[in-house]
Amino acid sequence: MQYFENEHIKYKNNQLYVDDININELAKEFGTPLYIYSKNHFINQYQEFENAFKSINHKIFYAMKANFNLSVVNTFVKLGSGVDANSEGELYRALKTGVDPSKVILTSVGKTKNEIKLGLEKNVLMIKAESEEEIELINKIACEMNKVARVAVRVNPDVDAKTHPYISTGLSSNKFGVDSKTALSIYKRRKDFSNIEFTGIDMHIGSQITLIEPFVEAVQKLSDLYFEIEKDGLKLAHFDVGGGIGVSYNSEQSFSINEFAEKTIPLFKKLDCEIIFEPGRFLTANGGILVTEVLYNKKNGDKNFVIVDSAMNDMLRPSIYQAYHHIQPTTKFGNRNDIVADVVGPICESGDYFARDREITQSNSGDLLALTSAGAYGMVMSFNYNGRRRPPEILVDGNKYDEVRSRETFDHLIYDEKIV
Ligand code: LLP
């Protein structure tokens, strides 16, 4: 049985803590399933990133899709971060935190008219465009609104990020961005777009990237393009390399942020513009846990099942990416054996599982388990299937904590419906 621990999530006297807060106590107060985050982990990750790039002109735009709880976004905004918003809903959430719209980037492979309009109305720093048709539309809408849209073209550099196929985005077979040739021709045609000012160039080659080489290769390709555009007489203000930096869920080794800086800073220094980063997972993943209670143990033939009160609707990653998350008791009992079991939720789908054939400590009904590395792409991907209410979220700050989102009520489940 392997245990996950870091500076902010660790055992003290065999009880799991997030900073100074005992998880068993929190679960008693708020029930399970329950998301718990360490604010100090988020802050440390942000500062580590900032420090690594302090020698260059850069800015972090937190990719809020990783964890868009208002208090989490606000944590980064208060540190000076910008925000990368992927829809009008995320833009709405971001602005609720009071972030200055000039620190917001609007992303998405398919923005609607309303999203483009909202971005222009709010005056976001820039809109990232992902097709020629979209650029035509942005120009038309900006013209109607009598505004000038600041736009960056998202380039698909055709580099294999060597990550899970569902979260690889930088290959020409992926739906994202436009190829370098198309991008160059768009920038060259800039006079055709009366109400667009091209202020940046952008890429994002995938997520949970653990190898540094694809990143460096993509930055190199994008900077070649940057110089061709410069040669054509256009000086871009922003060079956006997206997010994607991997974290350790299990034993995988990802490159460190300092290594990333060391390999890319020499390339960035050649560019005379601001470098933009959009990290999501790096900032939040390992600062969160999902706590669940063991309901039952059973055996079907030789196979052990641990049935818990949380399910794929609360945390989807294992079901759709076969993602690994440690699952560990919130109390370490010295006298328990390890067993090999599937840890499954109550939903009527065989894909509703957190682990398969996993060696875990034998647990009894009523015991609590923590699923670790749940701070990114956890709660944001939750849903109400099987009529399940979504869990609360607790933000721990040292020896204090706040319920930053409460458990959904039954009324939440039906508030927008009517019976006819
Ligand atoms: N920028 C853009 C344009 C993105 O599409 C993403 C993530 C990011 C930044 C942040 O990437 P990060 O630093 O978090 O890797 N649900 C999947 C991950 C999907 C990522 C989508 N885009 C998962 O649970 O692994």
Side-chain angles (χ1 to χ4, degrees), residues 63 65-66 84 86 107 128 154 167 169 176 202 204 206-208 242-245 249 278-282 317 321 376-377 381:
K65 68 185 64 146
D84 172 58
N86 202 68
T107 310
K128 292 193 286 183
R154 176 164 174 181
I167 51 176
T169 55
F176 299 95
D202 167 75
H204 169 76
S207 195
Q208 185 52 16
I245 294 147
Y249 283 88
E278 302 166 359
R281 189 188 315 264
F282 176 84
R317 303 194 71 257
Y321 315 118
Y377 305 110
M381 290 171 72

Coordinates of all heavy atoms in Angstrom, one line a residue, residues 63 65-66 84 86 107 128 154 167 169 176 202 204 206-208 242-245 249 278-282 317 321 376-377 381, ligand 1:
A63 N -5.3 28.8 -15.2 CA -6.4 28.1 -16.1 C -7.4 27.6 -15.1 O -7.3 26.5 -14.5 CB -5.8 26.9 -16.9
K65 N -10.2 26.3 -15.4 CA -10.9 25.1 -15.6 C -10.5 24.0 -14.7 O -11.2 23.0 -14.4 CB -10.8 24.6 -17.1 CG -9.4 24.2 -17.4 CD -9.3 23.9 -18.9 CE -9.5 25.1 -19.7 NZ -8.8 25.2 -20.9
A66 N -9.2 24.1 -14.2 CA -8.7 23.0 -13.3 C -9.5 23.0 -12.0 O -9.7 21.9 -11.4 CB -7.2 23.3 -13.0
D84 N -7.2 32.4 -17.1 CA -7.6 31.9 -18.4 C -9.0 31.3 -18.3 O -9.2 30.3 -17.6 CB -6.6 30.9 -18.8 CG -6.9 30.1 -20.1 OD1 -7.1 30.8 -21.1 OD2 -7.1 28.9 -20.1
N86 N -12.5 29.7 -20.1 CA -12.7 28.9 -21.3 C -14.2 29.0 -21.8 O -14.5 28.2 -22.7 CB -12.4 27.4 -21.0 CG -12.1 26.6 -22.2 OD1 -11.1 26.9 -22.9 ND2 -13.0 25.7 -22.6
T107 N -10.5 31.8 -23.9 CA -10.1 30.7 -24.7 C -11.3 29.9 -25.2 O -12.4 30.2 -24.7 CB -9.2 29.8 -23.8 OG1 -8.2 30.5 -23.1 CG2 -8.5 28.7 -24.6
K128 N -8.4 34.3 -27.7 CA -7.6 33.4 -28.5 C -8.5 32.8 -29.5 O -9.5 32.2 -29.2 CB -7.0 32.3 -27.6 CG -6.0 32.9 -26.6 CD -5.2 31.8 -25.9 CE -6.0 31.1 -24.9 NZ -5.2 30.1 -24.2
R154 N -4.3 30.8 -31.9 CA -3.7 29.6 -31.3 C -3.2 28.7 -32.4 O -3.9 28.3 -33.3 CB -4.8 28.8 -30.5 CG -4.3 27.5 -30.0 CD -5.2 26.9 -28.9 NE -4.8 25.6 -28.5 CZ -5.4 24.9 -27.6 NH1 -6.5 25.4 -27.0 NH2 -5.0 23.7 -27.3
I167 N -6.2 14.1 -23.6 CA -5.7 15.4 -23.2 C -4.5 15.9 -23.9 O -3.7 16.7 -23.5 CB -5.5 15.5 -21.6 CG1 -4.6 14.3 -21.1 CG2 -6.8 15.5 -20.9 CD1 -4.3 14.4 -19.6
T169 N -3.3 17.9 -27.2 CA -4.0 18.9 -28.0 C -3.1 19.5 -29.1 O -3.6 20.4 -29.8 CB -4.5 20.0 -27.1 OG1 -3.4 20.5 -26.3 CG2 -5.6 19.6 -26.2
F176 N -7.6 21.3 -32.1 CA -7.2 22.6 -31.5 C -6.3 23.5 -32.4 O -5.4 22.9 -33.1 CB -6.5 22.5 -30.2 CG -7.4 21.8 -29.2 CD1 -7.3 20.4 -28.9 CD2 -8.3 22.5 -28.4 CE1 -8.1 19.8 -28.0 CE2 -9.1 21.9 -27.5 CZ -9.1 20.5 -27.3
D202 N -0.2 32.0 -29.6 CA -0.5 31.1 -28.5 C -0.4 29.6 -28.9 O -0.6 29.3 -30.1 CB -2.0 31.4 -28.1 CG -2.5 30.3 -27.2 OD1 -2.2 30.3 -26.0 OD2 -3.4 29.5 -27.7
H204 N -1.1 25.5 -26.9 CA -1.3 24.7 -25.6 C -1.3 23.2 -26.1 O -2.2 22.8 -26.8 CB -2.6 25.0 -25.0 CG -2.9 24.0 -23.9 ND1 -2.3 24.0 -22.7 CD2 -3.8 23.0 -23.8 CE1 -2.8 23.0 -21.9 NE2 -3.7 22.4 -22.6
G206 N -1.1 20.2 -24.6 CA -1.7 19.1 -23.9 C -1.6 19.3 -22.4 O -1.1 20.3 -21.9
S207 N -2.1 18.3 -21.7 CA -2.1 18.4 -20.2 C -1.4 17.2 -19.6 O -1.3 16.2 -20.3 CB -3.6 18.5 -19.8 OG -3.7 18.9 -18.5
Q208 N -1.0 17.4 -18.3 CA -0.3 16.3 -17.7 C 0.9 15.8 -18.5 O 1.1 14.6 -18.8 CB -1.2 15.1 -17.3 CG -0.6 14.0 -16.4 CD 0.1 14.5 -15.2 OE1 0.0 15.6 -14.7 NE2 0.9 13.6 -14.6
G242 N 0.6 28.4 -23.0 CA -0.4 27.6 -22.5 C 0.0 27.0 -21.2 O 0.9 27.4 -20.5
G243 N -0.7 25.9 -20.9 CA -0.4 25.2 -19.6 C 0.1 23.8 -19.9 O 0.8 23.6 -20.9
G244 N -0.2 22.8 -19.1 CA 0.1 21.4 -19.4 C 1.2 20.8 -18.5 O 1.4 19.6 -18.7
I245 N 1.8 21.5 -17.6 CA 2.9 20.9 -16.8 C 2.3 19.8 -15.9 O 1.4 20.0 -15.2 CB 3.6 22.0 -16.0 CG1 4.2 23.0 -17.0 CG2 4.6 21.5 -15.0 CD1 4.2 24.4 -16.5
Y249 N 1.2 12.0 -9.7 CA 0.0 11.3 -9.1 C 0.4 10.1 -8.4 O -0.1 9.7 -7.4 CB -1.0 11.0 -10.2 CG -1.8 12.1 -10.7 CD1 -1.4 12.9 -11.8 CD2 -3.0 12.5 -10.1 CE1 -2.1 14.0 -12.2 CE2 -3.8 13.6 -10.6 CZ -3.3 14.3 -11.6 OH -4.0 15.4 -12.1
E278 N -0.2 29.4 -18.7 CA -1.6 29.2 -18.3 C -1.7 27.9 -17.5 O -2.3 26.9 -17.9 CB -2.5 29.0 -19.5 CG -2.6 30.2 -20.4 CD -3.3 29.9 -21.7 OE1 -3.7 28.7 -21.9 OE2 -3.4 30.8 -22.5
P279 N -1.0 27.8 -16.4 CA -1.0 26.5 -15.6 C -2.3 26.3 -14.9 O -2.9 27.3 -14.4 CB 0.2 26.7 -14.6 CG 0.3 28.1 -14.4 CD -0.1 28.8 -15.7
G280 N -2.8 25.1 -14.8 CA -4.0 24.8 -14.0 C -3.6 23.7 -13.0 O -3.4 24.0 -11.8
R281 N -3.4 22.5 -13.5 CA -3.1 21.3 -12.7 C -1.9 21.6 -11.8 O -1.9 21.2 -10.6 CB -2.8 20.1 -13.6 CG -2.7 18.8 -12.9 CD -2.2 17.7 -13.9 NE -2.8 17.7 -15.1 CZ -3.9 16.9 -15.5 NH1 -4.4 16.1 -14.6 NH2 -4.4 17.0 -16.7
F282 N -0.8 22.2 -12.3 CA 0.4 22.3 -11.5 C 0.1 23.1 -10.3 O 0.7 22.9 -9.2 CB 1.5 23.1 -12.4 CG 2.7 23.4 -11.6 CD1 3.7 22.4 -11.5 CD2 2.9 24.6 -11.0 CE1 4.9 22.7 -10.7 CE2 4.0 24.9 -10.2 CZ 5.0 23.9 -10.1
R317 N -12.0 11.3 -13.2 CA -10.8 11.0 -13.9 C -10.4 9.6 -14.0 O -10.0 9.1 -15.1 CB -9.6 11.8 -13.2 CG -9.8 13.3 -13.2 CD -8.5 14.1 -12.8 NE -7.6 14.0 -13.9 CZ -6.5 13.3 -13.9 NH1 -6.2 12.5 -12.9 NH2 -5.7 13.3 -14.9
Y321 N -10.1 8.6 -17.9 CA -8.7 8.5 -18.4 C -7.9 7.3 -17.8 O -6.7 7.3 -17.8 CB -7.9 9.8 -18.0 CG -8.6 11.1 -18.2 CD1 -8.9 11.9 -17.2 CD2 -8.9 11.5 -19.5 CE1 -9.5 13.1 -17.4 CE2 -9.6 12.7 -19.7 CZ -9.9 13.5 -18.7 OH -10.5 14.7 -18.9
A376 N -7.3 19.3 -8.9 CA -7.5 19.7 -10.3 C -8.4 18.8 -11.0 O -8.2 17.5 -10.9 CB -6.1 19.8 -11.0
Y377 N -9.3 19.3 -11.8 CA -10.2 18.5 -12.6 C -11.0 17.4 -11.8 O -11.2 16.3 -12.2 CB -9.4 17.8 -13.8 CG -8.6 18.8 -14.6 CD1 -7.2 18.9 -14.6 CD2 -9.3 19.8 -15.4 CE1 -6.6 19.9 -15.3 CE2 -8.6 20.7 -16.1 CZ -7.3 20.8 -16.1 OH -6.6 21.8 -16.8
M381 N -15.4 18.8 -12.8 CA -16.0 17.8 -13.7 C -17.1 17.0 -13.1 O -17.5 16.0 -13.7 CB -14.9 16.9 -14.3 CG -13.9 17.7 -15.2 SD -12.4 16.7 -15.6 CE -13.1 15.5 -16.7
Ligands
LLP1 N1 -4.7 26.4 -21.4 C1 -5.6 25.8 -22.2 C2 -5.9 26.4 -23.5 C3 -6.1 24.5 -21.8 O1 -7.0 23.9 -22.7 C4 -5.7 23.9 -20.6 C5 -6.3 22.6 -20.2 C6 -4.9 24.6 -19.8 C7 -4.4 25.8 -20.2 C8 -4.4 24.1 -18.4 O2 -3.7 22.9 -18.6 P1 -3.0 22.2 -17.3 O3 -1.9 23.2 -16.8 O4 -4.1 22.1 -16.2 O5 -2.5 20.9 -17.8 N2 -9.7 17.0 -17.6 C9 -8.4 16.6 -17.9 C10 -7.5 17.8 -18.3 C11 -8.0 18.6 -19.4 C12 -7.1 19.8 -19.7 C13 -7.8 20.8 -20.7 N3 -7.1 21.9 -21.0 C14 -7.8 15.8 -16.8 O6 -8.5 15.6 -15.8 O7 -6.6 15.4 -16.8

